[in-house]
Amino acid sequence: MYENQIEIVDTICKPGPSNVVVLASRSGGKTYAVTMAAVRLCLTIPKYSVIVFGPKQEQATRIITELIKIAKSSNLTYDVDWKRSSRQRLYFKNS
């Protein structure tokens, strides 16, 4: 990951209540960074839920699709409950 992406992930995963808004230019790696933050939170906090939404369903589904690609091409594939997961929902085994 690039430095700006690491900063996004660290900010999102910071302990305590927070609201984070990510403003960056096009092709700045926002989707990937937010996806990795969601993964980190779901893996480190049992039963943690992440809700992804956007102005259009395709935009929200894009993050889930990115996450599925990452999971299938890495060791994350063992952490995902593929029987319960779908294109709209991804379940981790610790939930």
Side-chain angles (χ1 to χ4, degrees), residues 26-66:
R26 293 180 66 188
S27 301
K30 298 178 298 294
T31 300
Y32 185 81
V34 170
T35 301
M36 295 313 296
V39 168
R40 185 199 277 182
L41 291 167
C42 289
L43 289 176
T44 58
I45 304 171
K47 299 187 182 203
Y48 193 85
S49 293
V50 174
I51 299 170
V52 180
F53 60 91
K56 295 184 178 182
Q57 183 177 351
E58 309 90 66
Q59 291 170 307
T61 302
R62 182 173 158 217
I63 290 178
I64 302 295
T65 302
E66 183 74 21

Side-chain angles (χ1 to χ4, degrees):
M1 284 195 301
Y2 295 103
E3 189 175 324
N4 67 315
Q5 292 172 313
I6 293 169
E7 182 180 2
I8 291 168
V9 172
D10 289 344
T11 300
I12 292 171
C13 295
K14 192 184 310 181
S18 65
N19 295 310
V20 178
V21 176
V22 179
L23 298 174
S25 63
R26 293 180 66 188
S27 301
K30 298 178 298 294
T31 300
Y32 185 81
V34 170
T35 301
M36 295 313 296
V39 168
R40 185 199 277 182
L41 291 167
C42 289
L43 289 176
T44 58
I45 304 171
K47 299 187 182 203
Y48 193 85
S49 293
V50 174
I51 299 170
V52 180
F53 60 91
K56 295 184 178 182
Q57 183 177 351
E58 309 90 66
Q59 291 170 307
T61 302
R62 182 173 158 217
I63 290 178
I64 302 295
T65 302
E66 183 74 21
L67 179 51
I68 290 170
K69 284 186 213 173
I70 293 166
K72 286 186 174 181
S73 66
S74 70
N75 287 337
L76 284 176
T77 193
Y78 303 110
D79 295 307
V80 174
D81 184 346
W82 293 108
K83 290 181 182 177
R84 292 176 49 208
S85 297
S86 68
R87 291 187 67 210
Q88 284 78 33
R89 294 177 186 217
L90 197 65
Y91 291 95
F92 288 87
K93 292 179 180 175
N94 69 346
S95 60

